[in-house]
Amino acid sequence: MTTALLMAPGLSNDEAAKRNELAIRKPYVAAKLARIHEMEERGEISPIIRLEKSYLCNFTCTHCSAEYYMDRHLKKVFQIVDERQKISIEDIQRMSKEADELGLARFVITGGEPLVMKDFDAVVEAIDPEKHYIITDTNGWFLDLARAKHLKSIGVEKVQLSLDSFIEADHDAFRNKPGSYKRVIRAIDASQEAGLNLLLSTVLVRGRAKTQEFRDMCEFAKKKGVGLYVSYAKPTGSCTDHPEFVIEKEDADLVREMEKEYPVFTHMTPSYGSFKGCITVKGIITITSTAEITPCPYIDFSLGNLRQTPLKEILARGMRNPWLGPHRPDCLIGEDPQFIKIHTDKTAGVKHLPLPWGQGFSDNDSLSDR
């Protein structure tokens, strides 16, 4: 196992050491991670599974992409309540089994804010940390040292922390939460002390890539020895009310240049020797609180519901789809004006998302007809 992990394409010495340590503790999980490259070489896919079991959150962020998935919108649309039952622990157990049978290895517990979930530990157990590599993202508000150690003890391997400005006042204003910057900084130190793998994430709004503040954050990540995941502001969720946030090509190009100097990456960055381009279906899927699967956190069209359709078929639908399956070097929802218009038109006025299979995406989709 150790030799195989060390030889995996694109792994840094630090990442190889982490994988080898994981192989000692969780050999089954480590072996699945090591096989991802082989799967992709055979033309198979191994997407990260984002699980949005709950959209409860202690923040009300200006840029939230999940705004119209929130419970408060579901309550306004009584006629769909019976159709969109909340995902259960039993559903998660079944999904974990289906994912394992397909060789999928990675789950991210997200939301909302995962650490406000009363059943967070039960969700981790249902995914099964002996079979899958489990990550959680968080705004850091509740992540002190004791909580970080607890996450590690129940099988969480990695934490993704949101830091949206290296200027305290700007971060707090963007997150609409005074004191949130101090909590994130505390959470960074707590995660590292608890032995959790750590990733910082930040939202890139238009023009930010040019600023000294952004460069300072990149320097901070480099000094801390952690990656900085840059998420482009996209015209979805609450951001539909803030078109001034949406990035331009110049912003993306500047980040690509900074990748040469800093541990900075985006969803478009090649990883471990693999370049998928736009990662819809191929690199990521999202499972919503009502068991719908979307091909990206920012695309509000479902590929199917897990209660009605097996995961294997849902993934096959995505790969058959001309928007999603073929390799493309641009971000579909962030850079393709044709698709952005289709997405905006179809979701306009819809107050609970995603659009079910057949109303957004379907097997009748064709690029040539648009």
Side-chain angles (χ1 to χ4, degrees), residues 113-125:
E113 168 51 42
L115 298 190
V116 303
M117 292 164 47
K118 293 181 179 179
D119 60 351
F120 182 91
D121 290 17
V123 171
V124 172
E125 184 179 2

Side-chain angles (χ1 to χ4, degrees), residues 16 41 45 61 92 142 154 184 188 202 224-225 267-268 276 346-347 355 369:
E41 286 286 298
I45 60 172
C61 299
I92 296 170
F142 298 108
I154 63 173
V184 176
I188 291 169
T202 195
K224 282 287 186 180
H267 64 297
M268 299 294 291
K276 302 178 185 67
K346 286 193 174 187
T347 58
L355 291 177
D369 294 337

Side-chain angles (χ1 to χ4, degrees), residues 146-321:
R147 190 70 181 275
K149 288 181 176 178
H150 176 73
L151 294 182
K152 181 73 173 179
S153 74
I154 63 173
V156 174
E157 295 292 337
K158 189 173 189 175
V159 168
Q160 180 171 315
L161 277 165
S162 298
L163 180 61
D164 285 316
S165 176
F166 207 53
I167 298 171
E168 181 173 353
D170 290 352
H171 171 88
D172 288 1
F174 196 62
R175 290 269 161 181
N176 292 319
K177 191 75 168 181
S180 59
Y181 177 89
K182 287 185 172 65
R183 294 283 187 116
V184 176
I185 298 302
R186 179 193 67 175
I188 291 169
D189 294 335
S191 298
Q192 290 190 312
E193 186 173 343
L196 289 162
N197 291 329
L198 178 63
L199 179 67
L200 297 181
S201 67
T202 195
V203 174
L204 190 77
V205 298
R206 187 181 306 171
R208 186 181 173 211
K210 304 175 186 177
T211 67
Q212 185 61 45
E213 173 275 321
F214 185 68
R215 184 167 290 274
D216 289 344
M217 184 180 289
C218 294
E219 291 279 3
F220 175 75
K222 188 175 182 178
K223 180 180 177 181
K224 282 287 186 180
V226 300
L228 177 63
Y229 174 66
V230 177
S231 176
Y232 299 158
K234 301 178 182 70
T236 60
S238 295
C239 241
T240 55
D241 297 325
H242 294 276
E244 73 277 10
F245 286 172
V246 178
I247 71 161
E248 297 175 332
K249 185 177 185 300
E250 182 183 10
D251 300 292
D253 289 343
L254 285 169
V255 173
R256 279 189 277 269
E257 283 299 309
M258 296 180 81
E259 290 177 10
K260 300 173 184 177
E261 185 178 355
Y262 298 105
V264 176
F265 63 100
T266 72
H267 64 297
M268 299 294 291
T269 304
S271 60
Y272 306 140
S274 171
F275 179 53
K276 302 178 185 67
C278 187
I279 61 174
T280 50
V281 186
K282 300 173 284 293
I284 200 164
I285 57 171
T286 293
I287 301 176
T288 74
S289 67
T290 53
E292 301 286 344
I293 291 188
T294 66
C296 159
Y298 304 100
I299 294 177
D300 300 318
F301 296 171
S302 176
L303 292 170
N305 191 292
L306 274 174
R307 293 198 186 92
Q308 302 161 0
T309 309
L311 178 59
K312 183 176 181 179
E313 170 55 23
I314 290 174
L315 294 178
R317 282 177 180 174
M319 294 305 290
R320 288 195 300 265
N321 188 284

Side-chain angles (χ1 to χ4, degrees), residues 66-184:
E67 175 63 27
Y68 296 119
Y69 291 73
M70 299 292 185
D71 293 350
R72 58 180 173 269
H73 295 295
L74 180 61
K75 291 172 183 175
K76 294 176 184 176
V77 194
F78 297 107
Q79 67 268 27
I80 66 171
V81 171
D82 290 339
E83 296 176 24
R84 295 192 171 189
Q85 297 174 353
K86 291 301 187 70
I87 197 167
S88 67
I89 293 296
E90 291 73 25
D91 290 327
I92 296 170
Q93 289 171 332
R94 186 178 66 256
M95 172 184 58
S96 170
K97 183 175 184 294
E98 289 186 46
D100 186 48
E101 289 171 352
L102 293 172
L104 307 188
R106 298 162 292 176
F107 274 80
V108 179
I109 304 172
T110 183
E113 168 51 42
L115 298 190
V116 303
M117 292 164 47
K118 293 181 179 179
D119 60 351
F120 182 91
D121 290 17
V123 171
V124 172
E125 184 179 2
I127 294 171
D128 192 347
E130 295 301 318
K131 290 186 177 178
H132 298 285
Y133 188 87
I134 299 179
I135 306 159
T136 188
D137 60 14
T138 174
N139 57 41
W141 188 265
F142 298 108
L143 191 57
D144 58 12
L145 181 58
R147 190 70 181 275
K149 288 181 176 178
H150 176 73
L151 294 182
K152 181 73 173 179
S153 74
I154 63 173
V156 174
E157 295 292 337
K158 189 173 189 175
V159 168
Q160 180 171 315
L161 277 165
S162 298
L163 180 61
D164 285 316
S165 176
F166 207 53
I167 298 171
E168 181 173 353
D170 290 352
H171 171 88
D172 288 1
F174 196 62
R175 290 269 161 181
N176 292 319
K177 191 75 168 181
S180 59
Y181 177 89
K182 287 185 172 65
R183 294 283 187 116
V184 176

